[in-house]
Short mmCIF file of all heavy atoms in Angstrom, two decimals:
data_model
loop_
_atom_site.label_atom_id
_atom_site.label_comp_id
_atom_site.label_asym_id
_atom_site.label_seq_id
_atom_site.Cartn_x
_atom_site.Cartn_y
_atom_site.Cartn_z
N MET A 22 -48.69 36.27 16.23
CA MET A 22 -47.83 36.84 15.17
C MET A 22 -46.55 37.42 15.78
O MET A 22 -46.45 38.60 16.08
CB MET A 22 -48.59 37.97 14.44
CG MET A 22 -49.75 37.44 13.60
SD MET A 22 -49.23 36.40 12.25
CE MET A 22 -50.85 36.01 11.53
N SER A 23 -45.61 36.53 16.03
CA SER A 23 -44.36 36.99 16.61
C SER A 23 -43.24 37.05 15.58
O SER A 23 -42.11 37.33 15.90
CB SER A 23 -43.94 36.06 17.76
OG SER A 23 -43.76 34.75 17.26
N ASP A 24 -43.58 36.76 14.34
CA ASP A 24 -42.54 36.78 13.30
C ASP A 24 -42.59 38.06 12.45
O ASP A 24 -42.20 38.10 11.32
CB ASP A 24 -42.67 35.55 12.41
CG ASP A 24 -44.05 35.44 11.78
OD1 ASP A 24 -44.94 36.23 12.19
OD2 ASP A 24 -44.23 34.58 10.92
N GLU A 25 -43.11 39.11 13.06
CA GLU A 25 -43.11 40.40 12.37
C GLU A 25 -41.67 40.93 12.28
O GLU A 25 -40.84 40.58 13.12
CB GLU A 25 -43.96 41.41 13.16
CG GLU A 25 -45.43 41.05 13.20
CD GLU A 25 -46.09 41.29 11.85
OE1 GLU A 25 -45.67 42.21 11.15
OE2 GLU A 25 -47.02 40.53 11.51
N PRO A 26 -41.38 41.75 11.31
CA PRO A 26 -40.02 42.36 11.25
C PRO A 26 -39.70 43.09 12.53
O PRO A 26 -40.54 43.82 13.07
CB PRO A 26 -40.13 43.33 10.07
CG PRO A 26 -41.24 42.76 9.23
CD PRO A 26 -42.21 42.13 10.21
N THR A 27 -38.50 42.86 13.04
CA THR A 27 -38.15 43.47 14.32
C THR A 27 -37.76 44.93 14.17
O THR A 27 -37.71 45.66 15.13
CB THR A 27 -36.97 42.70 14.95
OG1 THR A 27 -35.92 42.65 14.01
CG2 THR A 27 -37.39 41.28 15.33
N ARG A 28 -37.42 45.30 12.95
CA ARG A 28 -37.04 46.69 12.71
C ARG A 28 -37.90 47.29 11.60
O ARG A 28 -37.51 47.36 10.46
CB ARG A 28 -35.56 46.78 12.33
CG ARG A 28 -34.67 46.62 13.56
CD ARG A 28 -33.21 46.81 13.23
NE ARG A 28 -32.66 45.65 12.53
CZ ARG A 28 -31.40 45.54 12.15
NH1 ARG A 28 -30.57 46.53 12.37
NH2 ARG A 28 -30.98 44.48 11.53
N PRO A 29 -39.10 47.69 11.97
CA PRO A 29 -40.03 48.23 10.96
C PRO A 29 -39.51 49.50 10.29
O PRO A 29 -39.93 49.84 9.21
CB PRO A 29 -41.31 48.51 11.77
CG PRO A 29 -40.84 48.63 13.17
CD PRO A 29 -39.67 47.69 13.30
N SER A 30 -38.57 50.16 10.95
CA SER A 30 -38.04 51.40 10.36
C SER A 30 -37.28 51.11 9.07
O SER A 30 -37.15 51.96 8.21
CB SER A 30 -37.13 52.11 11.37
OG SER A 30 -36.03 51.29 11.69
N GLU A 31 -36.76 49.89 8.98
CA GLU A 31 -36.04 49.54 7.75
C GLU A 31 -37.01 49.05 6.68
O GLU A 31 -36.79 49.24 5.50
CB GLU A 31 -35.01 48.43 8.05
CG GLU A 31 -33.84 48.94 8.87
CD GLU A 31 -32.79 47.86 9.01
OE1 GLU A 31 -33.01 46.73 8.53
OE2 GLU A 31 -31.75 48.16 9.59
N ALA A 32 -38.07 48.42 7.13
CA ALA A 32 -39.04 47.88 6.18
C ALA A 32 -39.90 48.99 5.60
O ALA A 32 -40.35 48.90 4.47
CB ALA A 32 -39.92 46.85 6.86
N MET A 33 -40.10 50.03 6.37
CA MET A 33 -40.95 51.11 5.91
C MET A 33 -40.26 52.47 6.11
O MET A 33 -40.13 52.92 7.24
CB MET A 33 -42.28 51.09 6.68
CG MET A 33 -43.27 52.15 6.21
SD MET A 33 -44.82 52.03 7.10
CE MET A 33 -45.40 50.41 6.59
N PRO A 34 -39.77 53.08 5.05
CA PRO A 34 -39.12 54.39 5.18
C PRO A 34 -40.04 55.39 5.87
O PRO A 34 -41.25 55.37 5.66
CB PRO A 34 -38.84 54.80 3.74
CG PRO A 34 -38.81 53.50 2.97
CD PRO A 34 -39.79 52.60 3.67
N GLN A 35 -39.45 56.27 6.65
CA GLN A 35 -40.26 57.23 7.40
C GLN A 35 -40.94 58.23 6.46
O GLN A 35 -41.98 58.75 6.75
CB GLN A 35 -39.38 57.97 8.41
CG GLN A 35 -38.88 57.05 9.50
CD GLN A 35 -38.09 57.82 10.54
OE1 GLN A 35 -37.61 58.91 10.28
NE2 GLN A 35 -37.95 57.24 11.72
N ARG A 36 -40.30 58.50 5.34
CA ARG A 36 -40.91 59.43 4.39
C ARG A 36 -40.62 58.94 2.99
O ARG A 36 -39.65 58.28 2.74
CB ARG A 36 -40.37 60.84 4.58
CG ARG A 36 -38.85 60.92 4.52
CD ARG A 36 -38.37 62.34 4.59
NE ARG A 36 -38.84 63.13 3.46
CZ ARG A 36 -38.31 64.29 3.10
NH1 ARG A 36 -37.34 64.80 3.80
NH2 ARG A 36 -38.75 64.95 2.06
N GLU A 37 -41.52 59.27 2.11
CA GLU A 37 -41.32 58.85 0.74
C GLU A 37 -40.10 59.53 0.16
O GLU A 37 -39.85 60.71 0.39
CB GLU A 37 -42.55 59.21 -0.10
CG GLU A 37 -43.76 58.39 0.29
CD GLU A 37 -44.90 58.64 -0.70
OE1 GLU A 37 -44.63 58.94 -1.85
OE2 GLU A 37 -46.06 58.55 -0.27
N ARG A 38 -39.34 58.77 -0.53
CA ARG A 38 -38.11 59.31 -1.11
C ARG A 38 -38.31 59.63 -2.59
O ARG A 38 -38.85 58.82 -3.33
CB ARG A 38 -36.97 58.31 -0.95
CG ARG A 38 -36.80 57.87 0.50
CD ARG A 38 -35.54 57.09 0.68
NE ARG A 38 -34.37 57.94 0.52
CZ ARG A 38 -33.12 57.50 0.68
NH1 ARG A 38 -32.90 56.26 1.02
NH2 ARG A 38 -32.10 58.31 0.53
N THR A 39 -37.87 60.81 -2.97
CA THR A 39 -37.98 61.21 -4.36
C THR A 39 -36.58 61.27 -4.99
O THR A 39 -36.35 61.97 -5.94
CB THR A 39 -38.66 62.58 -4.49
OG1 THR A 39 -37.96 63.51 -3.69
CG2 THR A 39 -40.10 62.50 -4.03
N ALA A 40 -35.69 60.50 -4.40
CA ALA A 40 -34.30 60.52 -4.87
C ALA A 40 -34.18 60.03 -6.30
O ALA A 40 -33.18 60.27 -6.96
CB ALA A 40 -33.42 59.67 -3.96
N VAL A 41 -35.19 59.35 -6.76
CA VAL A 41 -35.15 58.87 -8.14
C VAL A 41 -35.04 60.03 -9.11
O VAL A 41 -34.56 59.89 -10.23
CB VAL A 41 -36.39 58.03 -8.47
CG1 VAL A 41 -36.32 56.69 -7.75
CG2 VAL A 41 -37.65 58.77 -8.14
N LEU A 42 -35.51 61.18 -8.67
CA LEU A 42 -35.42 62.36 -9.52
C LEU A 42 -34.00 62.90 -9.56
O LEU A 42 -33.61 63.56 -10.50
CB LEU A 42 -36.37 63.44 -9.04
CG LEU A 42 -37.86 63.05 -9.07
CD1 LEU A 42 -38.69 64.16 -8.44
CD2 LEU A 42 -38.31 62.82 -10.51
N GLY A 43 -33.26 62.65 -8.51
CA GLY A 43 -31.86 63.06 -8.49
C GLY A 43 -31.64 64.53 -8.24
O GLY A 43 -30.61 65.08 -8.57
N HIS A 44 -32.65 65.19 -7.65
CA HIS A 44 -32.49 66.62 -7.40
C HIS A 44 -32.66 66.92 -5.92
O HIS A 44 -33.53 66.35 -5.26
CB HIS A 44 -33.53 67.42 -8.19
CG HIS A 44 -33.39 67.25 -9.67
ND1 HIS A 44 -32.31 67.73 -10.38
CD2 HIS A 44 -34.17 66.65 -10.59
CE1 HIS A 44 -32.44 67.44 -11.66
NE2 HIS A 44 -33.57 66.77 -11.82
N PHE A 45 -31.82 67.82 -5.44
CA PHE A 45 -31.90 68.20 -4.04
C PHE A 45 -31.89 69.72 -3.93
O PHE A 45 -31.29 70.42 -4.76
CB PHE A 45 -30.72 67.62 -3.25
CG PHE A 45 -30.74 66.11 -3.24
CD1 PHE A 45 -30.00 65.39 -4.16
CD2 PHE A 45 -31.52 65.43 -2.31
CE1 PHE A 45 -30.04 64.00 -4.16
CE2 PHE A 45 -31.56 64.04 -2.30
CZ PHE A 45 -30.82 63.33 -3.23
N CYS A 46 -32.51 70.23 -2.91
CA CYS A 46 -32.61 71.68 -2.70
C CYS A 46 -31.24 72.33 -2.66
O CYS A 46 -30.33 71.83 -2.01
CB CYS A 46 -33.37 71.96 -1.41
SG CYS A 46 -33.56 73.71 -1.08
N GLU A 47 -31.09 73.44 -3.37
CA GLU A 47 -29.81 74.13 -3.44
C GLU A 47 -29.63 75.12 -2.30
O GLU A 47 -28.58 75.75 -2.18
CB GLU A 47 -29.69 74.86 -4.78
CG GLU A 47 -29.69 73.89 -5.96
CD GLU A 47 -29.49 74.62 -7.27
OE1 GLU A 47 -29.16 75.82 -7.25
OE2 GLU A 47 -29.67 73.99 -8.32
N HIS A 48 -30.63 75.32 -1.50
CA HIS A 48 -30.51 76.23 -0.37
C HIS A 48 -29.41 75.74 0.56
O HIS A 48 -29.35 74.56 0.90
CB HIS A 48 -31.85 76.33 0.37
CG HIS A 48 -31.81 77.30 1.51
ND1 HIS A 48 -31.96 78.66 1.33
CD2 HIS A 48 -31.62 77.12 2.84
CE1 HIS A 48 -31.88 79.26 2.51
NE2 HIS A 48 -31.67 78.35 3.45
N ILE A 49 -28.54 76.65 0.96
CA ILE A 49 -27.41 76.27 1.80
C ILE A 49 -27.89 75.64 3.09
O ILE A 49 -28.68 76.22 3.83
CB ILE A 49 -26.54 77.50 2.12
CG1 ILE A 49 -26.04 78.15 0.83
CG2 ILE A 49 -25.37 77.09 3.01
CD1 ILE A 49 -25.17 77.23 -0.03
N GLY A 50 -27.42 74.41 3.34
CA GLY A 50 -27.75 73.75 4.58
C GLY A 50 -29.08 73.00 4.56
O GLY A 50 -29.48 72.45 5.56
N CYS A 51 -29.74 73.00 3.41
CA CYS A 51 -31.04 72.32 3.33
C CYS A 51 -30.85 70.90 2.84
O CYS A 51 -30.82 69.97 3.64
CB CYS A 51 -32.00 73.10 2.42
SG CYS A 51 -33.63 72.33 2.31
N GLY A 52 -30.72 70.75 1.53
CA GLY A 52 -30.45 69.42 0.97
C GLY A 52 -31.64 68.50 0.92
O GLY A 52 -31.51 67.30 0.72
N LYS A 53 -32.84 69.04 1.10
CA LYS A 53 -34.03 68.21 1.00
C LYS A 53 -34.29 67.82 -0.46
O LYS A 53 -33.73 68.37 -1.37
CB LYS A 53 -35.25 68.97 1.54
CG LYS A 53 -35.19 69.22 3.03
CD LYS A 53 -36.45 69.95 3.46
CE LYS A 53 -36.42 70.26 4.96
NZ LYS A 53 -37.62 71.01 5.38
N ASP A 54 -35.17 66.85 -0.61
CA ASP A 54 -35.57 66.48 -1.96
C ASP A 54 -36.23 67.69 -2.62
O ASP A 54 -37.09 68.33 -2.03
CB ASP A 54 -36.57 65.32 -1.91
CG ASP A 54 -35.95 64.08 -1.30
OD1 ASP A 54 -34.75 63.87 -1.51
OD2 ASP A 54 -36.68 63.35 -0.62
N ALA A 55 -35.79 67.98 -3.81
CA ALA A 55 -36.29 69.16 -4.49
C ALA A 55 -37.34 68.78 -5.52
O ALA A 55 -37.07 68.01 -6.45
CB ALA A 55 -35.13 69.90 -5.17
N GLY A 56 -38.50 69.32 -5.36
CA GLY A 56 -39.57 69.02 -6.29
C GLY A 56 -39.84 70.14 -7.27
O GLY A 56 -40.62 70.00 -8.19
N TRP A 57 -39.16 71.27 -7.04
CA TRP A 57 -39.39 72.41 -7.91
C TRP A 57 -38.11 72.71 -8.68
O TRP A 57 -37.06 72.98 -8.10
CB TRP A 57 -39.78 73.65 -7.08
CG TRP A 57 -41.24 73.68 -6.77
CD1 TRP A 57 -42.20 74.41 -7.40
CD2 TRP A 57 -41.93 72.93 -5.76
NE1 TRP A 57 -43.43 74.13 -6.84
CE2 TRP A 57 -43.29 73.24 -5.83
CE3 TRP A 57 -41.50 72.01 -4.79
CZ2 TRP A 57 -44.24 72.69 -4.99
CZ3 TRP A 57 -42.44 71.45 -3.95
CH2 TRP A 57 -43.80 71.80 -4.05
N GLY A 58 -38.22 72.69 -9.99
CA GLY A 58 -37.06 72.97 -10.83
C GLY A 58 -37.23 74.29 -11.55
O GLY A 58 -38.33 74.64 -11.97
N PHE A 59 -36.15 75.03 -11.65
CA PHE A 59 -36.17 76.32 -12.33
C PHE A 59 -35.06 76.33 -13.36
O PHE A 59 -33.92 76.00 -13.05
CB PHE A 59 -35.96 77.46 -11.33
CG PHE A 59 -37.02 77.50 -10.25
CD1 PHE A 59 -36.89 76.71 -9.12
CD2 PHE A 59 -38.13 78.31 -10.39
CE1 PHE A 59 -37.86 76.73 -8.13
CE2 PHE A 59 -39.11 78.32 -9.41
CZ PHE A 59 -38.97 77.53 -8.27
N ALA A 60 -35.40 76.72 -14.55
CA ALA A 60 -34.37 76.72 -15.59
C ALA A 60 -34.74 77.70 -16.67
O ALA A 60 -35.92 77.94 -16.97
CB ALA A 60 -34.22 75.31 -16.17
N ARG A 61 -33.70 78.30 -17.24
CA ARG A 61 -33.87 79.14 -18.41
C ARG A 61 -33.24 78.43 -19.58
O ARG A 61 -32.32 77.63 -19.40
CB ARG A 61 -33.21 80.51 -18.19
CG ARG A 61 -33.80 81.25 -17.01
CD ARG A 61 -33.08 82.56 -16.78
NE ARG A 61 -33.35 83.52 -17.86
CZ ARG A 61 -32.85 84.77 -17.88
NH1 ARG A 61 -32.06 85.18 -16.92
NH2 ARG A 61 -33.15 85.59 -18.86
N PRO A 62 -33.68 78.73 -20.77
CA PRO A 62 -33.07 78.08 -21.95
C PRO A 62 -31.56 78.27 -21.97
O PRO A 62 -31.07 79.36 -21.68
CB PRO A 62 -33.75 78.81 -23.12
CG PRO A 62 -35.07 79.27 -22.57
CD PRO A 62 -34.79 79.61 -21.12
N LYS A 63 -30.84 77.20 -22.31
CA LYS A 63 -29.39 77.23 -22.43
C LYS A 63 -28.69 77.47 -21.12
O LYS A 63 -27.52 77.82 -21.07
CB LYS A 63 -28.95 78.30 -23.44
CG LYS A 63 -29.53 78.09 -24.84
CD LYS A 63 -29.04 79.15 -25.80
CE LYS A 63 -29.69 78.95 -27.19
NZ LYS A 63 -29.26 80.02 -28.14
N GLN A 64 -29.39 77.31 -20.00
CA GLN A 64 -28.74 77.46 -18.69
C GLN A 64 -29.03 76.24 -17.83
O GLN A 64 -30.02 75.53 -18.05
CB GLN A 64 -29.24 78.72 -17.97
CG GLN A 64 -28.81 80.00 -18.65
CD GLN A 64 -29.09 81.23 -17.79
OE1 GLN A 64 -29.27 81.12 -16.59
NE2 GLN A 64 -29.14 82.39 -18.42
N ALA A 65 -28.17 76.03 -16.87
CA ALA A 65 -28.36 74.88 -15.98
C ALA A 65 -29.60 75.10 -15.13
O ALA A 65 -29.96 76.23 -14.78
CB ALA A 65 -27.15 74.71 -15.08
N SER A 66 -30.26 74.02 -14.79
CA SER A 66 -31.46 74.11 -13.98
C SER A 66 -31.10 74.19 -12.50
O SER A 66 -30.06 73.72 -12.07
CB SER A 66 -32.36 72.91 -14.25
OG SER A 66 -31.69 71.70 -13.94
N HIS A 67 -31.96 74.83 -11.77
CA HIS A 67 -31.77 74.94 -10.33
C HIS A 67 -32.98 74.31 -9.64
O HIS A 67 -34.11 74.48 -10.08
CB HIS A 67 -31.64 76.42 -9.92
CG HIS A 67 -30.45 77.08 -10.54
ND1 HIS A 67 -29.22 77.13 -9.93
CD2 HIS A 67 -30.29 77.69 -11.75
CE1 HIS A 67 -28.37 77.75 -10.73
NE2 HIS A 67 -28.98 78.10 -11.83
N TRP A 68 -32.70 73.64 -8.53
CA TRP A 68 -33.76 72.88 -7.87
C TRP A 68 -33.89 73.27 -6.41
O TRP A 68 -32.90 73.48 -5.72
CB TRP A 68 -33.48 71.38 -7.98
CG TRP A 68 -33.60 70.89 -9.39
CD1 TRP A 68 -32.64 70.95 -10.36
CD2 TRP A 68 -34.76 70.31 -10.01
NE1 TRP A 68 -33.14 70.43 -11.53
CE2 TRP A 68 -34.43 70.02 -11.35
CE3 TRP A 68 -36.04 69.98 -9.54
CZ2 TRP A 68 -35.35 69.44 -12.22
CZ3 TRP A 68 -36.95 69.41 -10.41
CH2 TRP A 68 -36.59 69.13 -11.74
N PHE A 69 -35.13 73.36 -5.98
CA PHE A 69 -35.40 73.74 -4.59
C PHE A 69 -36.57 72.91 -4.05
O PHE A 69 -37.42 72.45 -4.81
CB PHE A 69 -35.74 75.24 -4.48
CG PHE A 69 -34.56 76.11 -4.85
CD1 PHE A 69 -34.37 76.52 -6.16
CD2 PHE A 69 -33.65 76.50 -3.89
CE1 PHE A 69 -33.30 77.32 -6.51
CE2 PHE A 69 -32.57 77.29 -4.23
CZ PHE A 69 -32.39 77.70 -5.54
N CYS A 70 -36.61 72.79 -2.73
CA CYS A 70 -37.70 72.08 -2.10
C CYS A 70 -38.89 73.02 -1.96
O CYS A 70 -38.83 74.20 -2.30
CB CYS A 70 -37.26 71.57 -0.72
SG CYS A 70 -36.96 72.87 0.48
N TYR A 71 -39.96 72.48 -1.43
CA TYR A 71 -41.18 73.28 -1.28
C TYR A 71 -40.91 74.52 -0.43
O TYR A 71 -41.38 75.62 -0.72
CB TYR A 71 -42.25 72.41 -0.61
CG TYR A 71 -43.52 73.14 -0.28
CD1 TYR A 71 -44.51 73.32 -1.25
CD2 TYR A 71 -43.73 73.66 0.99
CE1 TYR A 71 -45.68 73.99 -0.96
CE2 TYR A 71 -44.89 74.34 1.30
CZ TYR A 71 -45.87 74.50 0.33
OH TYR A 71 -47.01 75.18 0.62
N GLU A 72 -40.11 74.34 0.61
CA GLU A 72 -39.87 75.42 1.55
C GLU A 72 -39.07 76.56 0.93
O GLU A 72 -39.26 77.72 1.28
CB GLU A 72 -39.12 74.85 2.76
CG GLU A 72 -38.95 75.84 3.89
CD GLU A 72 -38.25 75.21 5.08
OE1 GLU A 72 -38.08 73.97 5.06
OE2 GLU A 72 -37.87 75.92 5.99
N HIS A 73 -38.18 76.22 0.01
CA HIS A 73 -37.29 77.24 -0.55
C HIS A 73 -37.56 77.49 -2.03
O HIS A 73 -36.71 78.08 -2.70
CB HIS A 73 -35.83 76.81 -0.35
CG HIS A 73 -35.45 76.63 1.08
ND1 HIS A 73 -35.03 75.42 1.59
CD2 HIS A 73 -35.46 77.52 2.11
CE1 HIS A 73 -34.78 75.58 2.90
NE2 HIS A 73 -35.04 76.83 3.24
N ARG A 74 -38.68 77.04 -2.51
CA ARG A 74 -38.93 77.14 -3.96
C ARG A 74 -38.94 78.59 -4.44
O ARG A 74 -38.65 78.86 -5.60
CB ARG A 74 -40.24 76.46 -4.30
CG ARG A 74 -41.48 77.15 -3.78
CD ARG A 74 -42.70 76.26 -3.97
NE ARG A 74 -43.96 76.92 -3.65
CZ ARG A 74 -44.37 77.19 -2.41
NH1 ARG A 74 -43.63 76.84 -1.39
NH2 ARG A 74 -45.50 77.81 -2.20
N SER A 75 -39.27 79.52 -3.54
CA SER A 75 -39.32 80.92 -3.95
C SER A 75 -37.93 81.42 -4.34
O SER A 75 -37.80 82.37 -5.11
CB SER A 75 -39.89 81.78 -2.83
OG SER A 75 -39.07 81.70 -1.69
N GLU A 76 -36.88 80.78 -3.82
CA GLU A 76 -35.52 81.22 -4.16
C GLU A 76 -35.20 80.91 -5.60
O GLU A 76 -34.31 81.51 -6.19
CB GLU A 76 -34.53 80.53 -3.24
CG GLU A 76 -34.69 80.93 -1.78
CD GLU A 76 -33.64 80.28 -0.91
OE1 GLU A 76 -32.58 79.92 -1.44
OE2 GLU A 76 -33.88 80.12 0.30
N GLY A 77 -35.90 79.96 -6.17
CA GLY A 77 -35.62 79.57 -7.54
C GLY A 77 -36.15 80.58 -8.56
O GLY A 77 -35.69 80.62 -9.68
N GLU A 78 -37.07 81.40 -8.13
CA GLU A 78 -37.69 82.34 -9.07
C GLU A 78 -36.67 83.36 -9.58
O GLU A 78 -36.84 83.93 -10.65
CB GLU A 78 -38.86 83.04 -8.39
CG GLU A 78 -39.99 82.05 -8.07
CD GLU A 78 -41.15 82.74 -7.36
OE1 GLU A 78 -41.03 83.96 -7.09
OE2 GLU A 78 -42.15 82.07 -7.08
N LYS A 79 -35.62 83.60 -8.81
CA LYS A 79 -34.61 84.55 -9.25
C LYS A 79 -33.78 84.01 -10.42
O LYS A 79 -33.07 84.76 -11.06
CB LYS A 79 -33.69 84.94 -8.10
CG LYS A 79 -32.86 83.79 -7.58
CD LYS A 79 -32.07 84.23 -6.34
CE LYS A 79 -31.29 83.04 -5.76
NZ LYS A 79 -30.62 83.44 -4.49
N PHE A 80 -33.90 82.71 -10.64
CA PHE A 80 -33.19 82.12 -11.76
C PHE A 80 -34.00 82.16 -13.04
O PHE A 80 -33.52 81.81 -14.11
CB PHE A 80 -32.80 80.67 -11.43
CG PHE A 80 -31.79 80.54 -10.35
CD1 PHE A 80 -32.16 80.06 -9.09
CD2 PHE A 80 -30.47 80.90 -10.56
CE1 PHE A 80 -31.24 79.95 -8.08
CE2 PHE A 80 -29.54 80.79 -9.56
CZ PHE A 80 -29.91 80.31 -8.32
N LEU A 81 -35.26 82.58 -12.91
CA LEU A 81 -36.11 82.62 -14.10
C LEU A 81 -36.01 83.93 -14.83
O LEU A 81 -35.62 84.94 -14.23
CB LEU A 81 -37.57 82.35 -13.69
CG LEU A 81 -37.80 80.97 -13.08
CD1 LEU A 81 -39.26 80.84 -12.67
CD2 LEU A 81 -37.45 79.87 -14.08
ZN1 LIG B 15 -34.80 73.67 0.79
#
């Protein structure tokens, strides 16, 4: 089997991407995929990653 992809890093992303959600951590200098959203009625939502999700609680 010598016809394997020569660059497996392109064929298989190193980490699952959640960019489909379109949200990234708002912590300065972080920018990771944000899985935690915080929002109050009639206000813009704020998004943070797992590491910084506690920062979002101040928006609630
Ligand atoms: Zn973060």
